[in-house]
Amino acid sequence: MHELAITKNVVDVVCEHAAGRRVCSVRVEVGALTAVVAESMQFCFELVTEGTVADGARLDIDHRAGGAHCRECGGDFVLTDLVLLCPCGSADVEVTSGRELRILSMEVS
Ligand SMILES: [Zn+2]
């Protein structure tokens, strides 16, 4: 369950930035290719925030679809999962988006 490690990182950074203030909400951007399951991340968030300044904070997850460019046919297409195949059948593709995993914003009180 890699969501736990990822979420732990996010919470560590958030708590550091909060510098002792109470965290109300956190918004993260998660690309389709990170294979992070939103429900798992929500669950892990509740676990790892326990006892921290982010305890009880809301986690908002912004999903980003992945995108790729095919070197074979030159087309751009949307990636919805980890299958890196162009509709033309080529596997010679370059991932242009979908690997994002970052904190977009956080609210402190
Ligand atoms: Zn192609």
PDB file of all heavy atoms in Angstrom, residues 70-75 77 86-90 93, ligand 1:
ATOM      1  N   CYS A  70       2.791  10.291 -28.665  1.00  0.00           N
ATOM      2  CA  CYS A  70       3.294   9.112 -29.362  1.00  0.00           C
ATOM      3  C   CYS A  70       4.380   9.519 -30.364  1.00  0.00           C
ATOM      4  O   CYS A  70       4.173  10.405 -31.185  1.00  0.00           O
ATOM      5  CB  CYS A  70       2.139   8.424 -30.104  1.00  0.00           C
ATOM      6  SG  CYS A  70       2.683   6.998 -31.068  1.00  0.00           S
ATOM      7  N   ARG A  71       5.531   8.866 -30.246  1.00  0.00           N
ATOM      8  CA  ARG A  71       6.630   9.188 -31.165  1.00  0.00           C
ATOM      9  C   ARG A  71       6.434   8.520 -32.520  1.00  0.00           C
ATOM     10  O   ARG A  71       7.047   8.902 -33.507  1.00  0.00           O
ATOM     11  CB  ARG A  71       7.959   8.728 -30.560  1.00  0.00           C
ATOM     12  CG  ARG A  71       8.364   9.500 -29.329  1.00  0.00           C
ATOM     13  CD  ARG A  71       9.824   9.221 -28.956  1.00  0.00           C
ATOM     14  NE  ARG A  71      10.157   9.752 -27.650  1.00  0.00           N
ATOM     15  CZ  ARG A  71      10.063   9.054 -26.516  1.00  0.00           C
ATOM     16  NH1 ARG A  71       9.658   7.813 -26.532  1.00  0.00           N
ATOM     17  NH2 ARG A  71      10.386   9.603 -25.356  1.00  0.00           N
ATOM     18  N   GLU A  72       5.566   7.536 -32.524  1.00  0.00           N
ATOM     19  CA  GLU A  72       5.323   6.776 -33.753  1.00  0.00           C
ATOM     20  C   GLU A  72       4.413   7.543 -34.708  1.00  0.00           C
ATOM     21  O   GLU A  72       4.775   7.815 -35.840  1.00  0.00           O
ATOM     22  CB  GLU A  72       4.687   5.434 -33.370  1.00  0.00           C
ATOM     23  CG  GLU A  72       4.665   4.402 -34.478  1.00  0.00           C
ATOM     24  CD  GLU A  72       6.038   3.889 -34.870  1.00  0.00           C
ATOM     25  OE1 GLU A  72       6.881   3.710 -33.967  1.00  0.00           O
ATOM     26  OE2 GLU A  72       6.263   3.707 -36.080  1.00  0.00           O
ATOM     27  N   CYS A  73       3.213   7.892 -34.205  1.00  0.00           N
ATOM     28  CA  CYS A  73       2.239   8.568 -35.078  1.00  0.00           C
ATOM     29  C   CYS A  73       2.148  10.071 -34.796  1.00  0.00           C
ATOM     30  O   CYS A  73       1.466  10.793 -35.511  1.00  0.00           O
ATOM     31  CB  CYS A  73       0.862   7.919 -34.927  1.00  0.00           C
ATOM     32  SG  CYS A  73       0.069   8.241 -33.344  1.00  0.00           S
ATOM     33  N   GLY A  74       2.826  10.520 -33.745  1.00  0.00           N
ATOM     34  CA  GLY A  74       2.825  11.954 -33.454  1.00  0.00           C
ATOM     35  C   GLY A  74       1.587  12.432 -32.725  1.00  0.00           C
ATOM     36  O   GLY A  74       1.426  13.629 -32.482  1.00  0.00           O
ATOM     37  N   GLY A  75       0.705  11.516 -32.380  1.00  0.00           N
ATOM     38  CA  GLY A  75      -0.533  11.902 -31.718  1.00  0.00           C
ATOM     39  C   GLY A  75      -0.387  12.079 -30.209  1.00  0.00           C
ATOM     40  O   GLY A  75       0.539  11.539 -29.594  1.00  0.00           O
ATOM     41  N   PHE A  77      -2.493  11.637 -26.620  1.00  0.00           N
ATOM     42  CA  PHE A  77      -3.673  10.942 -26.116  1.00  0.00           C
ATOM     43  C   PHE A  77      -3.717  10.966 -24.593  1.00  0.00           C
ATOM     44  O   PHE A  77      -2.724  11.265 -23.931  1.00  0.00           O
ATOM     45  CB  PHE A  77      -3.737   9.506 -26.657  1.00  0.00           C
ATOM     46  CG  PHE A  77      -2.516   8.673 -26.337  1.00  0.00           C
ATOM     47  CD1 PHE A  77      -2.562   7.764 -25.289  1.00  0.00           C
ATOM     48  CD2 PHE A  77      -1.357   8.800 -27.072  1.00  0.00           C
ATOM     49  CE1 PHE A  77      -1.442   6.990 -24.986  1.00  0.00           C
ATOM     50  CE2 PHE A  77      -0.230   8.033 -26.771  1.00  0.00           C
ATOM     51  CZ  PHE A  77      -0.273   7.130 -25.730  1.00  0.00           C
ATOM     52  N   CYS A  86      -0.230   3.816 -27.195  1.00  0.00           N
ATOM     53  CA  CYS A  86      -0.975   4.742 -28.040  1.00  0.00           C
ATOM     54  C   CYS A  86      -2.113   3.975 -28.704  1.00  0.00           C
ATOM     55  O   CYS A  86      -1.992   2.774 -28.963  1.00  0.00           O
ATOM     56  CB  CYS A  86      -0.038   5.317 -29.091  1.00  0.00           C
ATOM     57  SG  CYS A  86      -0.871   6.396 -30.275  1.00  0.00           S
ATOM     58  N   PRO A  87      -3.229   4.663 -29.010  1.00  0.00           N
ATOM     59  CA  PRO A  87      -4.320   3.992 -29.742  1.00  0.00           C
ATOM     60  C   PRO A  87      -3.844   3.380 -31.059  1.00  0.00           C
ATOM     61  O   PRO A  87      -4.461   2.437 -31.566  1.00  0.00           O
ATOM     62  CB  PRO A  87      -5.330   5.121 -29.991  1.00  0.00           C
ATOM     63  CG  PRO A  87      -5.079   6.093 -28.882  1.00  0.00           C
ATOM     64  CD  PRO A  87      -3.592   6.022 -28.599  1.00  0.00           C
ATOM     65  N   CYS A  88      -2.739   3.874 -31.617  1.00  0.00           N
ATOM     66  CA  CYS A  88      -2.220   3.310 -32.869  1.00  0.00           C
ATOM     67  C   CYS A  88      -1.493   1.993 -32.629  1.00  0.00           C
ATOM     68  O   CYS A  88      -1.107   1.307 -33.567  1.00  0.00           O
ATOM     69  CB  CYS A  88      -1.288   4.307 -33.572  1.00  0.00           C
ATOM     70  SG  CYS A  88       0.398   4.363 -32.922  1.00  0.00           S
ATOM     71  N   GLY A  89      -1.275   1.649 -31.352  1.00  0.00           N
ATOM     72  CA  GLY A  89      -0.636   0.375 -31.043  1.00  0.00           C
ATOM     73  C   GLY A  89       0.816   0.501 -30.643  1.00  0.00           C
ATOM     74  O   GLY A  89       1.422  -0.462 -30.169  1.00  0.00           O
ATOM     75  N   SER A  90       1.371   1.677 -30.806  1.00  0.00           N
ATOM     76  CA  SER A  90       2.789   1.856 -30.483  1.00  0.00           C
ATOM     77  C   SER A  90       3.012   2.031 -28.980  1.00  0.00           C
ATOM     78  O   SER A  90       2.188   2.612 -28.279  1.00  0.00           O
ATOM     79  CB  SER A  90       3.316   3.089 -31.219  1.00  0.00           C
ATOM     80  OG  SER A  90       4.602   3.410 -30.736  1.00  0.00           O
ATOM     81  N   VAL A  93       5.973   5.809 -26.492  1.00  0.00           N
ATOM     82  CA  VAL A  93       5.264   7.015 -26.092  1.00  0.00           C
ATOM     83  C   VAL A  93       6.020   7.749 -24.980  1.00  0.00           C
ATOM     84  O   VAL A  93       6.776   7.165 -24.221  1.00  0.00           O
ATOM     85  CB  VAL A  93       3.833   6.694 -25.599  1.00  0.00           C
ATOM     86  CG1 VAL A  93       3.012   6.088 -26.707  1.00  0.00           C
ATOM     87  CG2 VAL A  93       3.881   5.773 -24.390  1.00  0.00           C
TER      88      VAL A  93
HETATM   89 ZN    ZN B   1       0.610   6.455 -31.938  1.00  0.00          ZN
END
